[in-house]
Amino acid sequence: MNKNVAKKKIEKLREEINHHNYKYYVENNPVISDYEFDQLLKKLEQLETEFPDLITPESPTQRVGEKPLEGFETVEHKIPMLSLANTYTYDELREFDERVKKNVGDVEYVVEPKIDGAGVALLYENGVLVRGATRGDGIKGDDITQNLKTIRSVPLKLRSNVLRRVEVRGEVYMPIGGFKKYNKEQAEKEGVIFANPRNASAGSLRQLDSRIVAERPLDIFIYVISYSEKDLKTHEKALAALKEAGFRTNSLTKKVANIENAIKYCKELEKKREKLDYEIDGAVIKVNSLGKQKELGATSKNPRWAISYKFAAKQSTTRLNNIAIQVGRTGTLTPVAILEPVEVGGVTVSRATLHNFDELKRKDIKIGDQVLVERSGDVIPQVVKSITEKRTGAEKRKIIPKKCPVCGTTVIRTEGEVAVRCPNRLCPSRLKWRVKYYASRDAMDIDHLGESTIDKLIEENLIGNIADLYFLKKEDILKLEGFKEKSAQNLLDSIEKSKKQDLSRFIYGLGIRHVGKYAAQLLASQYNSIDKLSKASAESLKEIDGLGEKSAEAIATFFATDENKELIERLKNIGVKTKEVRKNNLPLQGKKFVFTGGLLTLTRPEASDLVKKSGGIVSSSISKDIDYVVAGDKPGSKYNKAKKLELTIINEDELKELVTK
Ligand code: IVH
């Protein structure tokens, strides 16, 4: 192909890709399948590899940098990034309105949610993104262009000719769903957890390696044009121009005729707050006319044409009355804050997590302290810090207990591990969590066996381990409060049904430390039976591709314990399926799969089962030993990672084809 032809093709492809990117990430309304989108990107990549001098920084292939930066450059903002004055009462908003009217007469307002993330400025020259910066001190910020480019809803090239040379501002945030998922994954890896979505977004933007940022589920809302050569009349029109140019603007933005209507809308937004997939900490009220905005001007810190109305804080201070200890499934002792009940963002909170004893020490939290409690991005409130200035001297440190508070067994703390654990597998508290885990959806999936039923079964001494579930009789269950003939039978039926679950679910359900769903599948496909697995040495387990060292050790230890040996024997004897007939030529034998994005004709569990039944293994994270990545609608960061690693990406139809081969 000659270069001129290639250039034309490349330009056309980029335009197409940008268009679909916009449909997908900004409008939430894709018009082609992911597979087709991929093919376009692949074609572009191929052409660019062939003609590397045609690569430009705004090409959709250039979203993620090749290597980490040494540091960020400091850049000066075109126009200082002011902050908004805060108000907390509607009367303060009315006073703001008075001041505005006194200066420029009657005005209309635009009310928007105040996004709780990290403010950034994006600069475009000739319609191409040339710079992105943090707010910094408002005058100068860090150049984080490479990081901002990884956010798919940041246009690298503008769509319309209305805005060419323009500086816009917006808020980078982490959606709550993505935040929770990210933290969960980090917790499983014993990695660093973010306290809230705001820290997660600000922390991510400070990363020097844009490849890491690309894996974080960040997004952006653009809310103002700070500089443009175009003469726009109102903020409302500016937002429309932003949208037309390809920016993601917030759909809850509303124009109102006067301050009373603005207040009404603030109330509506506050009600919606809990239902949104992103955190907002207030509303922003802006004068609509840009001419009047200019007339009003700014103080050295804040514009006089806008103000923020802050919602009830999701943080409050209260007294830490006590620290209780919870004992989890693996015996981990978790400190829990017992608080003087306090309202945090509209919800009364009396307990909060303190994570672990190391955190307690690091944060210097004592019983009797005044503490800052936060409810954010998650339902479980947490203690952020103690307010040491308020100490009276009567506060007491919580000493790590030497004995398990539930069963009295001496606790252990393994070198290098944060957790303090009760080693007694018969500890009632551990038993409860273990049964719950065994019965859970991803394990043996036993219906009708909820937490309170398990509690009752333990209290009545009806179960002392998992195997006892299978020896329960109807008259036992009928003794429990709330059970009748039918519900008792339902529970028994579900327990009976679980005997036939797949081996991998059974292995997972045993709750061996460091053995999650993926490891359980690996083990099931490798050994085909509990007998064989239980005889495997730590050394041979370590040789399994994809199984960590910690898991290998934990498995060997588990099966070396007499109590576990006995448990397995009993389960086997009562008829729980503990082996699988090896079907040798299953179509996906030993192949490792990852799913990302929504599927169209199958649910995730159905698709997982399909893979597993065909001999494949399903993993939740991307690594180089994954054989297939099944991408559906709106694939997440896993998709980008898979591309980087050049893994085989297939769609749902292709998966079905593989299975029937
Ligand atoms: S307008 C001149 N609109 O809140 C002020 N700011 O203290 C321009 N923020 O630094 C800001 N949502 O990071 C504006 N809809 C919104 C906003 C918003 C969040 C942040 C922004 C700013 C801070 C104000």
Side-chain angles (χ1 to χ4, degrees):
M1 193 186 305
N2 91 33
K3 200 164 165 180
N4 266 336
V5 179
K7 193 165 179 228
K8 288 229 165 69
K9 281 203 167 178
I10 284 179
E11 272 163 15
K12 188 161 169 277
L13 276 167
R14 284 181 188 161
E15 218 163 273
E16 258 183 280
I17 292 168
N18 284 342
H19 173 71
H20 292 303
N21 202 60
Y22 175 79
K23 286 290 214 195
Y24 192 113
Y25 290 101
V26 180
E27 284 191 343
N28 252 333
N29 181 23
V31 286
I32 58 169
S33 75
D34 293 349
Y35 179 73
E36 288 165 302
F37 182 82
D38 258 19
Q39 295 306 312
L40 292 176
L41 207 59
K42 235 184 219 160
K43 256 193 231 158
L44 177 60
E45 269 165 3
Q46 273 164 4
L47 279 172
E48 287 184 351
T49 319
E50 235 177 284
F51 298 93
D53 50 335
L54 293 179
I55 300 177
T56 54
E58 77 274 18
S59 169
T61 59
Q62 306 299 305
R63 284 209 176 254
V64 188
E66 296 283 322
K67 54 177 193 299
L69 300 173
E70 304 262 317
F72 295 121
E73 299 216 358
T74 307
V75 291
E76 196 162 325
H77 295 299
K78 230 173 155 51
I79 292 167
M81 275 178 93
L82 302 179
S83 62
L84 298 168
N86 288 328
T87 59
Y88 299 88
T89 62
Y90 298 130
D91 277 344
E92 284 173 285
L93 286 183
R94 291 183 182 107
E95 284 163 22
F96 162 76
D97 179 54
E98 289 298 319
R99 287 196 299 275
V100 166
K101 279 190 194 147
K102 212 172 107 194
N103 281 299
V104 295
D106 270 353
V107 292
E108 287 175 334
Y109 291 108
V110 172
V111 184
E112 312 173 352
K114 186 167 187 295
I115 319 295
D116 200 6
V120 297
L122 297 169
L123 188 63
Y124 290 77
E125 302 273 5
N126 262 327
V128 171
L129 173 67
V130 291
R131 193 178 87 182
T134 60
R135 178 173 185 274
D137 62 4
I139 306 292
K140 286 179 183 159
D142 285 337
D143 183 336
I144 51 160
T145 314
Q146 196 56 58
N147 288 347
L148 290 170
K149 280 171 86 173
T150 67
I151 302 172
R152 306 277 143 163
S153 48
V154 167
L156 302 182
K157 196 170 172 220
L158 301 183
R159 284 161 62 83
S160 80
N161 279 325
V162 180
L163 303 173
R164 302 295 300 164
R165 190 151 175 257
V166 64
E167 194 204 52
V168 303
R169 295 196 176 153
E171 200 84 354
V172 171
Y173 69 95
M174 192 179 278
I176 295 171
F179 165 77
K180 280 191 193 169
K181 202 164 149 229
Y182 177 81
N183 263 0
K184 195 169 158 238
E185 282 168 8
Q186 285 299 106
E188 277 165 14
K189 287 194 277 194
E190 299 200 355
V192 180
I193 281 174
F194 285 116
N196 52 47
R198 181 182 358 99
N199 290 4
S201 47
S204 298
L205 291 183
R206 274 197 299 273
Q207 280 286 337
L208 290 168
D209 190 346
S210 66
R211 291 170 298 186
I212 296 177
V213 188
E215 284 169 27
R216 306 261 171 98
L218 299 177
D219 212 332
I220 192 168
F221 282 121
I222 301 296
Y223 44 65
V224 84
I225 298 180
S226 41
Y227 170 85
S228 143
E229 282 161 353
K230 176 91 192 152
D231 187 24
L232 292 155
K233 296 279 178 266
T234 63
H235 180 58
E236 195 189 20
K237 290 211 167 88
L239 288 174
L242 281 168
K243 194 163 176 204
E244 205 189 314
F247 292 104
R248 189 159 173 264
T249 52
N250 189 290
S251 61
L252 296 175
T253 301
K254 189 176 172 168
K255 185 175 82 174
V256 292
N258 53 44
I259 199 70
E260 289 312 318
N261 289 356
I263 290 170
K264 225 189 248 166
Y265 193 57
C266 284
K267 286 181 190 165
E268 264 180 58
L269 282 178
E270 187 157 15
K271 262 200 216 124
K272 285 210 175 100
R273 182 187 196 183
E274 299 286 330
K275 294 195 188 82
L276 300 176
D277 185 38
Y278 49 90
E279 296 243 313
I280 63 175
D281 58 347
V284 183
I285 296 101
K286 297 175 182 172
V287 169
N288 191 25
S289 153
L290 296 185
K292 289 188 176 176
Q293 282 192 6
K294 211 165 175 190
E295 247 180 273
L296 285 158
T299 68
S300 62
K301 283 195 218 123
N302 318 115
R304 291 198 189 90
W305 47 266
I307 199 149
S308 93
Y309 170 74
K310 298 274 265 186
F311 297 152
K314 281 186 149 189
Q315 286 191 331
S316 304
T317 55
T318 188
R319 185 174 184 275
L320 176 64
N321 285 339
N322 203 355
I323 295 177
I325 309 281
Q326 226 170 41
V327 185
R329 174 179 61 86
T330 55
T332 304
L333 271 57
T334 308
V336 179
I338 307 296
L339 305 164
E340 189 61 38
V342 64
E343 209 180 279
V344 188
V347 173
T348 305
V349 169
S350 55
R351 286 165 83 89
T353 178
L354 289 162
H355 300 294
N356 57 53
F357 288 100
D358 274 10
E359 281 273 301
L360 205 61
K361 198 168 157 195
R362 195 172 59 77
K363 289 184 179 164
D364 181 27
I365 291 169
K366 294 182 178 174
I367 298 168
D369 265 341
Q370 283 294 319
V371 290
L372 185 66
V373 183
E374 181 179 79
R375 207 171 56 79
S376 142
D378 207 345
V379 278
I380 308 169
Q382 56 181 329
V383 174
V384 181
K385 62 173 189 177
S386 59
I387 300 161
T388 46
E389 299 78 32
K390 292 212 175 151
R391 283 202 173 142
T392 61
E395 296 76 13
K396 285 201 191 79
R397 195 174 291 290
K398 175 80 183 175
I399 298 165
I400 301 180
K402 295 218 163 38
K403 291 194 161 44
C404 168
V406 180
C407 71
T409 309
T410 303
V411 298
I412 50 168
R413 187 164 197 175
T414 316
E415 252 318 293
E417 273 186 28
V418 177
V420 177
R421 300 192 317 114
C422 163
N424 174 19
R425 283 190 59 89
L426 300 175
C427 173
S429 182
R430 292 188 56 181
L431 175 61
K432 164 182 162 175
W433 295 111
R434 219 159 53 230
V435 175
K436 197 172 160 203
Y437 191 80
Y438 183 78
S440 68
R441 260 267 219 22
D442 290 331
M444 300 300 259
D445 195 16
I446 306 179
D447 283 339
H448 314 290
L449 190 57
E451 200 172 320
S452 73
T453 303
I454 299 172
D455 273 340
K456 286 176 206 154
L457 288 169
I458 295 175
E459 262 166 46
E460 296 295 322
N461 260 328
L462 289 169
I463 53 170
N465 62 35
I466 297 165
D468 291 341
L469 287 174
Y470 296 100
F471 293 88
L472 286 173
K473 296 197 178 57
K474 198 189 272 178
E475 54 265 35
D476 294 334
I477 300 171
L478 283 171
K479 273 190 243 157
L480 305 179
E481 192 198 312
F483 274 94
K484 299 231 163 60
E485 180 66 28
K486 183 148 193 288
S487 46
Q489 191 56 48
N490 282 343
L491 176 57
L492 283 176
D493 289 348
S494 317
I495 294 173
E496 184 63 26
K497 207 174 98 195
S498 73
K499 287 181 178 171
K500 294 198 178 58
Q501 284 289 15
D502 287 349
L503 180 61
S504 66
R505 285 172 169 270
F506 177 63
I507 296 174
Y508 174 70
L510 289 173
I512 306 168
R513 291 189 79 204
H514 306 297
V515 176
K517 272 187 282 182
Y518 177 61
Q521 289 177 55
L522 270 177
L523 294 168
S525 86
Q526 201 80 23
Y527 291 97
N528 292 308
S529 82
I530 279 287
D531 279 351
K532 282 197 206 136
L533 172 62
S534 64
K535 290 192 188 98
S537 66
E539 277 60 43
S540 61
L541 285 159
K542 275 178 202 164
E543 271 162 31
I544 299 178
D545 199 15
L547 194 76
E549 217 162 278
K550 269 191 194 166
S551 320
E553 296 283 356
I555 297 159
T557 312
F558 180 89
F559 289 107
T561 315
D562 284 342
E563 181 215 328
N564 293 333
K565 283 185 193 158
E566 199 188 307
L567 174 76
I568 303 275
E569 259 330 284
R570 282 186 71 208
L571 287 165
K572 225 162 67 182
N573 291 339
I574 194 82
V576 175
K577 188 166 106 185
T578 59
K579 64 175 172 214
E580 252 155 26
V581 190
R582 188 194 270 279
K583 294 174 218 135
N584 258 334
N585 37 19
L586 284 173
L588 307 181
Q589 195 67 52
K591 295 275 183 268
K592 303 187 180 95
F593 285 74
V594 169
F595 289 96
T596 175
L599 303 176
L600 289 176
T601 60
L602 297 168
T603 63
R604 268 290 176 90
E606 279 167 359
S608 284
D609 277 347
L610 181 67
V611 167
K612 287 186 217 162
K613 283 208 169 68
S614 312
I617 297 162
V618 180
S619 166
S620 63
S621 57
I622 297 278
S623 65
K624 61 179 189 316
D625 62 329
I626 297 298
D627 298 289
Y628 294 99
V629 177
V630 186
D633 194 23
K634 287 195 199 153
S637 57
K638 284 185 205 162
Y639 180 82
N640 303 328
K641 202 168 166 191
K643 294 218 85 139
K644 272 257 122 135
L645 292 173
E646 296 180 354
L647 302 178
T648 309
I649 302 177
I650 59 171
N651 62 21
E652 207 171 329
D653 290 339
E654 289 167 303
L655 169 66
K656 287 181 189 159
E657 251 171 61
L658 280 179
V659 172
T660 50
K661 253 186 201 152

